[in-house]
Amino acid sequence: MLDFTDTPIEAPIQNWDWAPIKEVPIIENNEPLVSLSYLPEKLIVSPQYFIQNLPGAYPELFARAHVQEKLIEAARKLPYGYKFVVFDTWRSIPTQQALFDQMKLFVKRDHPTYSDEEIQQAALRIVALPSTDEKKPSPHNTGGSVDLSIIDEKGRLLDMGSPFDDISLHAKTTYYEVDDTSDKYEEARRNRRLLYHIMIQSGFTNYTEEWWHFDYGNQNWAKLSNQDHALYGATKPVFPWVKAY
């Protein structure tokens, strides 16, 4: 059995390039979105963008049905008493736009001499471009992306060396494997390995710029796992009385 915390993370790619990923064809399998709130003994739902009052964010988190099954499979590999805490899954286009616009403001604040193109490219390192193109959907808009971490048996988040939605280079999945290998971050290094290897072994792929972001079924997943096509395109929850974005 794989020793998750002793096995270094070797990212499949070091420099993420959106262009070839967006060329992966999508053959939509029409799998529904399902709620992630109904199995709290395995998954704790913490809808961060609703909590932060972002446009288009819901108080519930939804993912494709098979993604939910994969998450439960992964949760069973956690140490006794540990659980996943899920921060974000399916994301509306208004929420994606709000995040992207805010990221550009952060970049401009930190790099006042950047050109508009440099700001755009720096923002894209952390937040995907909002898209209404059915052939090039934002990963989270497919219901196949999951942002998550781990809590211990006392309900405390494990130390991952940087917080969820960190915009610094510390957020890169392999940062503590490559850029800072000091003993100071050994606990964070081992915790990242635990999350990474459990998710990868359960069939997910990782967005290498963010230790918390994993994919299944969308174009990110298809490209990194050498699939002929993605399974999920853009989607949205269906409610009988509410218009979804």
Side-chain angles (χ1 to χ4, degrees):
M1 181 177 179
L2 179 65
D3 187 333
F4 298 116
T5 60
D6 284 343
T7 304
I9 299 171
E10 297 181 3
I13 58 174
Q14 292 299 324
N15 297 309
W16 192 271
D17 185 355
W18 287 108
I21 291 171
K22 293 305 181 183
E23 296 304 316
V24 175
I26 301 169
I27 302 178
E28 175 62 60
N29 71 358
N30 295 311
E31 206 171 279
L33 289 170
V34 299
S35 169
L36 295 184
S37 291
Y38 298 149
L39 201 63
E41 62 270 28
K42 297 293 183 183
L43 305 173
I44 301 298
V45 171
S46 179
Q48 287 298 300
Y49 300 135
F50 176 78
I51 292 169
Q52 297 175 52
N53 200 31
L54 265 66
Y58 289 169
E60 177 60 284
L61 295 181
F62 302 91
R64 297 284 188 142
H66 200 54
V67 173
Q68 190 251 16
E69 293 173 10
K70 289 284 186 182
L71 282 171
I72 300 307
E73 175 188 334
R76 294 193 178 104
K77 298 181 174 72
L78 290 168
Y80 180 77
Y82 283 32
K83 300 178 184 180
F84 285 133
V85 55
V86 184
F87 302 125
D88 191 41
T89 45
W90 174 83
R91 187 183 297 166
S92 73
I93 291 173
T95 303
Q96 189 72 34
Q97 186 70 58
L99 286 168
F100 191 75
D101 291 345
Q102 186 62 47
M103 183 55 61
K104 289 199 296 184
L105 291 176
F106 288 153
V107 173
K108 189 173 182 178
R109 176 199 65 192
D110 295 342
H111 303 279
T113 63
Y114 272 18
S115 67
D116 289 346
E117 178 61 22
E118 287 173 324
I119 291 172
Q120 179 91 348
Q121 292 306 313
L124 283 170
R125 188 181 69 81
I126 295 296
V127 182
L129 193 67
S131 174
T132 57
D133 185 341
E134 63 180 15
K135 294 182 179 180
K136 301 178 181 181
S138 303
H140 275 281
N141 193 235
T142 69
S145 294
V146 181
D147 294 341
L148 79 170
S149 190
I150 300 170
I151 55 174
D152 63 18
E153 71 280 4
K154 295 182 179 180
R156 299 174 300 193
L157 282 168
L158 299 191
D159 176 14
M160 295 292 179
S162 76
F164 167 64
D165 263 358
D166 179 17
I167 65 172
S168 76
L169 292 176
H170 296 83
K172 291 177 70 72
T173 305
T174 58
Y175 185 83
Y176 296 113
E177 304 282 359
V178 177
D179 300 281
D180 189 338
T181 59
S182 64
D183 291 342
K184 176 182 178 181
Y185 293 105
E186 181 62 17
E187 181 180 358
R189 187 178 301 115
R190 293 174 69 85
N191 288 337
R192 285 195 188 190
R193 291 173 180 176
L194 177 67
L195 175 63
Y196 178 87
H197 289 302
I198 283 177
M199 294 296 285
I200 297 301
Q201 195 179 80
S202 300
F204 291 88
T205 59
N206 171 245
Y207 175 45
T208 56
E209 297 290 339
E210 299 174 344
W211 59 260
W212 58 83
H213 180 116
F214 294 86
D215 296 287
Y216 181 85
N218 59 20
Q219 288 172 306
N220 287 2
W221 167 84
K223 183 66 175 178
L224 266 66
S225 58
N226 298 313
Q227 306 295 318
D228 292 334
H229 63 273
L231 308 176
Y232 307 146
T235 190
K236 60 185 178 181
V238 176
F239 305 113
W241 297 99
V242 180
K243 180 181 178 181
Y245 292 101

